[in-house]
Amino acid sequence: MLGWTAMFLQAATLPDAAPAAPPARTSVLPPPCPSDANGDIVVCGRVDAQETYRLRALPERFVKDPRFRINLPGGSTITPHIDQGRLGDAQAKVTLKVPF
């Protein structure tokens, strides 16, 4: 009973301080093109709205081929891999690439 009373008293008390003001909003839109005082034409490029949220491709130094590859003399390579068969069974395969 004492717990219920404490809970109701805590809910009924009003805070002494006013609530904090919300943080200032920042615009996600690009700034408008500057105007020229001389009357010249100002060309301003804008990025597509959806393009700003897309991930960029990684530089080549960070892209790694996840496949295991064995280099052979003459530029040939052997790459073992597993494919799914007709009935869902795993099939072990080897790909041999020979330059010509």
Side-chain angles (χ1 to χ4, degrees), residues 21-58:
R25 292 187 176 193
T26 57
S27 176
V28 294
L29 298 174
C33 292
S35 60
D36 191 14
N38 298 334
D40 294 337
I41 297 174
V42 177
V43 178
C44 210
R46 298 206 190 269
V47 179
D48 182 23
Q50 294 300 319
E51 188 66 25
T52 57
Y53 300 107
R54 293 187 180 170
L55 294 175
R56 306 289 181 259
L58 290 174

Side-chain angles (χ1 to χ4, degrees), residues 22-95:
R25 292 187 176 193
T26 57
S27 176
V28 294
L29 298 174
C33 292
S35 60
D36 191 14
N38 298 334
D40 294 337
I41 297 174
V42 177
V43 178
C44 210
R46 298 206 190 269
V47 179
D48 182 23
Q50 294 300 319
E51 188 66 25
T52 57
Y53 300 107
R54 293 187 180 170
L55 294 175
R56 306 289 181 259
L58 290 174
E60 287 297 321
R61 65 183 183 153
F62 295 117
V63 176
K64 292 184 179 178
D65 190 9
R67 295 177 289 184
F68 177 72
R69 182 176 292 144
I70 301 170
N71 295 325
L72 299 175
S76 301
T77 59
I78 293 179
T79 308
H81 54 92
I82 298 176
D83 287 339
Q84 185 175 358
R86 218 175 30 168
L87 300 174
D89 54 342
Q91 298 177 349
K93 297 183 179 181
V94 177
T95 302

